Amino acid sequence: MDATTSSRRFWTLNALAWAGYAMYSLWVGMRIGGGVLFSGVALISVSIAVTLWLCSGALRSVALRQRWWDGGLGLLVLKLAAGVMIGASVAQAVTAALLLPSLALDWVRLPGGHADYQWSSLLVYWMNTALFLLMWTGLWAGLHGLRRARHSELARLRAEAERSALERDGLRARLNPHFMFNALNNLRALILEDPERARDMVTRLSRTLRQALAHNRSEQVTLAEELAVVDDYLAIEAIHFEQRLQVQQHIDADATQAQLPAMALQLLVENAIKHGIASRPGGGDVQIRATLDNDVLRLQVDNPLGSVSEPTHGHGVGLAYLRAQLGTRGRFILQPVGGRMQALLEIPQ
């Protein structure tokens, strides 16, 4: 809701609220006057209602313009209470300024023929006015605070979604050029040396890019779909690393239709090759296991430790993205086990 619409709605409701207050005051005045509505009572009721309508609107305008809600709840309550006291005082002063001359000129009449403006009576008048203004101010201030909280939460969720999308797109943009760079260099070398393998590599590269585009449109994929991407990825990487890369896969058949975040397994495999194979002169083997136990997909990717000491907590961009994709629904562990680095991913179905 824009500011103009919100302001228009407030002034409409504000008018209805104080019109109701004026009607209530007139009804009470008739009861006091024994069923007769005295002109002085009507003047008092209308004067206070109109003044409070203006005061409450002015109080809201000042509060919004000076951003009282940004200063904390305690300070907001103090400022609103001060505004209510000032508004009630202004309403009583305006009413007295209209009523007393009107009585002196005999323009209006009151029960008893005169106005009671003793200090005790003034205090009662003021407290009655302040009470109604306080209730109305508390109502619209509370509603405005709730609306601000809702808008803040929506803005936070929107920003978080945009940030996640940017991180995901940034991760994919980081992965795909790195992968494409090696693939194209190897393809250039194969075109003359082994045209048949070059054609197969083009086919696999085409499938990999097609799957990457599909992943951009979908948060979740089946393990079978992810394995197809991983197989093409490994086949292309095998041309780059040759005998330095050995892969063993142990995939349970009943796990192939399980759901997992897009690129999750490929990310683990790429991480294993980057930190466990590429950094070792002799390369090594990457083992991929997948099981489905009690409706929990369990993925395990392990590789030999790299030749350079590497962190084991796994706070890189790719693994941070993976944890963000899992949220609270899964578990991810990266730890050294017996001279190898083991990545364990558990995803409830």
Side-chain angles (χ1 to χ4, degrees):
M1 182 186 301
D2 58 38
T4 302
T5 303
S6 177
S7 181
R8 187 184 302 117
R9 189 174 70 171
F10 167 78
W11 280 105
T12 301
L13 293 176
N14 198 34
L16 292 174
W18 294 117
Y21 171 81
M23 298 296 294
Y24 171 76
S25 298
L26 292 172
W27 176 77
V28 172
M30 289 184 64
R31 294 291 299 270
I32 294 175
V36 177
L37 179 60
F38 286 82
S39 55
V41 173
L43 174 63
I44 293 171
S45 301
V46 173
S47 172
I48 290 180
V50 172
T51 307
L52 291 182
W53 173 69
L54 293 172
C55 287
S56 58
L59 179 59
R60 175 181 178 273
S61 298
V62 172
L64 293 179
R65 187 168 59 252
Q66 297 184 0
R67 307 177 68 89
W68 286 2
W69 279 264
D70 295 343
L73 181 59
L75 188 58
L76 172 65
V77 170
L78 288 177
K79 289 180 177 180
L80 290 176
V84 166
M85 289 189 292
I86 294 172
S89 300
V90 169
Q92 287 298 323
V94 169
T95 301
L98 293 174
L99 178 63
L100 294 177
S102 299
L103 285 172
L105 295 172
D106 201 26
W107 290 350
V108 296
R109 295 178 58 201
L110 285 174
H114 67 279
D116 182 7
Y117 272 103
Q118 297 180 14
W119 285 109
S120 59
S121 300
L122 281 174
L123 181 61
V124 172
Y125 301 156
W126 183 89
M127 291 182 63
N128 178 71
T129 306
L131 177 62
F132 280 95
L133 182 57
L134 178 63
M135 289 190 296
W136 175 238
T137 299
L139 179 61
W140 65 253
L143 291 175
H144 180 75
L146 289 175
R147 185 165 63 249
R148 274 174 52 93
R150 185 174 69 249
H151 289 172
S152 298
E153 180 65 12
L154 288 174
R156 185 189 67 79
L157 292 174
R158 239 182 248 113
E160 186 174 312
E162 291 173 0
R163 180 182 60 81
S164 297
L166 288 173
E167 286 180 354
R168 183 167 60 250
D169 292 342
L171 175 65
R172 286 166 179 158
R174 182 184 69 83
L175 292 174
N176 292 339
H178 169 77
F179 180 64
M180 287 290 295
F181 177 79
N182 288 335
L184 291 176
N185 277 336
N186 293 326
L187 179 60
R188 182 181 61 179
L190 282 175
I191 288 175
L192 295 178
E193 296 177 6
D194 193 340
E196 185 63 31
R197 289 185 68 192
R199 283 193 294 270
D200 178 67
M201 185 175 181
V202 169
T203 301
R204 290 183 179 275
L205 184 58
S206 175
R207 282 203 300 259
T208 300
L209 293 177
R210 184 170 63 248
Q211 289 294 330
L213 291 175
H215 286 176
N216 282 335
R217 295 189 297 267
S218 174
E219 293 278 338
Q220 297 284 320
V221 296
T222 65
L223 178 60
E225 293 172 327
E226 188 75 356
L227 284 171
V229 179
V230 169
D231 287 342
D232 287 332
Y233 171 81
L234 287 172
I236 297 172
E237 289 288 63
I239 296 174
H240 178 70
F241 289 101
E242 297 182 336
Q243 298 303 316
R244 293 173 59 208
L245 174 61
Q246 304 295 322
V247 180
Q248 301 177 32
Q249 294 192 30
H250 307 280
I251 312 297
D252 285 0
D254 56 354
T256 56
Q257 295 306 307
Q259 298 281 322
L260 72 160
M263 294 182 68
L265 182 57
Q266 181 177 347
L267 179 59
L268 295 182
V269 173
E270 187 200 26
N271 201 58
I273 293 175
K274 178 180 178 181
H275 297 288
I277 305 300
S279 61
R280 293 169 58 92
D285 66 307
V286 175
Q287 298 182 5
I288 304 172
R289 296 180 175 83
T291 59
L292 185 65
D293 299 319
N294 298 321
D295 287 331
V296 176
L297 175 62
R298 191 172 189 270
L299 296 174
Q300 181 178 316
V301 177
D302 58 81
N303 56 271
L305 290 172
S307 58
V308 179
S309 178
E310 56 184 315
T312 60
H313 41 69
H315 289 308
V317 175
L319 300 184
Y321 158 77
L322 179 58
R323 287 190 173 95
Q325 287 292 88
L326 287 176
T328 58
R329 293 188 59 253
R331 186 168 72 109
F332 174 65
I333 301 174
L334 182 66
Q335 60 185 357
V337 177
R340 296 177 67 84
M341 183 62 69
Q342 182 185 92
L344 179 63
L345 185 62
E346 294 181 346
I347 307 171
Q349 299 299 297

